[in-house]
Amino acid sequence: MDRDFGKRVQRAVDAVGQTGAMAPRLALVTGTGLAPLLDRIEVSARLAYRDIPDFPQSSAPGHKGEFVFGHLCGQPVVAQNGRFHLYEGWSPADIVLPVYVMRALGAQTYVVTNAAGGLNPDFPVGAPVLIGDQMNFTGVSPLIGPNDDALGLRFPDMSRAYDPDLRAQALGVAPGLKTGIYAGLKGPEFETSAERRHLRASGADLVGMSTVQEVIAANHAGLKVLGFSVVTNSAAGGPDQQPDTIEEVLEVAAKGADEIRRIVLAMLEKGVL
Ligand code: HPA
């Protein structure tokens, strides 16, 4: 991140301040096709990215471009409805800017969702999977460059990137949920079969084109992270492997959103999120 990054964060925080939005406790990020997760928010304010100075604009399919403020089960939340990806040409700093903005507004916990290919043949298409850990195969980090000590440590710990207590609580409300390791790549092309075999041999269960930059930043910023993937397509290879299409990804993600919403709401109702 460059030396002006803290100023970009502050300009966005100031823009949010003008909406009169309440300080959120929880930040929620909806991935590809997962915007229906936001249906239950009692909305108090919205802020379009285009009304924030020096803020990126989302162009990815299934992504809007706004922050939504309100309450979920009585908890003040902010949702990032629309995110940024390396494949769109955004820099790692652009991608993680919203993470630091939501942290500066007061968020303590970061709930991230995404659509992913299932490398693990035991993961059924359409099912949500709890993200247990991640592998950053993008070749970049949002933390490269000068560190802003006001935002986080130069060398942040990543050994509990996805908070173990939150993961245990998620399994408490959804005992059948599978846990998987998410490999993040740049995209935008889907992986070749050989690449997927390589990822699987490396220990990955899920593959996608988002999330890893944001989760590095969230750990840097001191946010606790809870993550869910919806397996939108099988990436397990074999003779039945179907061609990958974004249309299928969007359609299946929308179905998986219901179960993630149920888990998040159940955790909020129990007071464990
Ligand atoms: N690969 C990468 N990203 C994805 C996939 C996939 O198979 N499915 C959904 N996002």
Side-chain angles (χ1 to χ4, degrees):
M1 69 188 41
D2 66 30
R3 295 194 186 280
D4 285 339
F5 187 80
K7 288 187 196 138
R8 287 181 79 186
V9 173
Q10 192 52 49
R11 279 197 287 274
V13 168
D14 293 344
V16 172
Q18 292 183 0
T19 68
M22 245 183 120
R25 214 180 53 83
L26 186 75
L28 194 68
V29 185
T30 52
T32 302
L34 292 165
L37 270 175
L38 307 180
D39 286 355
R40 301 287 170 83
I41 297 180
E42 293 161 43
V43 178
S44 57
R46 291 177 189 271
L47 180 62
Y49 298 159
R50 62 172 178 276
D51 295 330
I52 306 175
D54 200 14
F55 209 79
Q57 308 292 317
S58 32
S59 75
H63 285 257
K64 288 208 170 143
E66 58 176 6
F67 285 114
V68 179
F69 297 89
H71 286 83
L72 248 190
C73 299
Q75 295 285 356
V77 301
V78 53
Q80 183 192 337
N81 188 13
R83 69 207 299 198
F84 313 110
H85 304 81
L86 290 168
Y87 66 72
E88 295 171 272
W90 298 111
S91 70
D94 290 326
I95 291 167
V96 302
L97 183 61
V99 176
Y100 292 96
V101 171
M102 295 190 290
R103 175 70 170 135
L105 291 170
Q108 312 279 318
T109 305
Y110 183 80
V111 180
V112 60
T113 64
N114 59 48
L119 297 165
N120 185 330
D122 294 338
F123 289 180
V125 169
V129 175
L130 183 64
I131 305 178
D133 206 345
Q134 71 178 31
M135 295 195 252
N136 176 13
F137 283 122
T138 66
V140 289
S141 161
L143 307 183
I144 291 171
N147 187 57
D148 184 340
D149 295 340
L151 297 180
L153 296 174
R154 168 77 290 189
F155 299 106
D157 177 41
M158 288 293 289
S159 66
R160 291 163 187 77
Y162 293 80
D163 187 73
D165 294 333
L166 288 177
R167 281 194 276 131
Q169 296 292 355
L171 292 172
V173 300
L177 195 61
K178 293 197 159 79
T179 301
I181 295 177
Y182 178 92
L185 276 68
K186 280 203 194 94
E189 70 283 0
F190 291 102
E191 307 72 41
T192 65
S193 300
E195 286 164 344
R196 286 173 169 175
R197 280 195 297 276
H198 175 76
L199 293 167
R200 182 73 187 129
S202 307
D205 299 296
L206 304 156
V207 57
M209 306 174 193
S210 66
T211 304
V212 291
Q213 303 291 319
E214 290 106 311
V215 170
I216 291 169
N219 277 266
H220 180 241
L223 284 156
K224 287 187 181 173
V225 177
L226 176 67
F228 300 94
S229 290
V230 175
V231 178
T232 54
N233 54 295
S234 169
D240 300 330
Q241 180 69 51
Q242 299 296 310
D244 302 298
T245 67
I246 186 65
E247 289 76 18
E248 184 196 13
V249 166
L250 289 170
E251 189 187 319
V252 179
K255 291 182 191 146
D258 284 350
E259 176 60 4
I260 300 181
R261 180 170 53 202
R262 189 194 72 73
I263 297 168
V264 169
L265 291 176
M267 289 177 75
L268 282 168
E269 267 156 23
K270 257 179 105 179
V272 295
L273 183 63

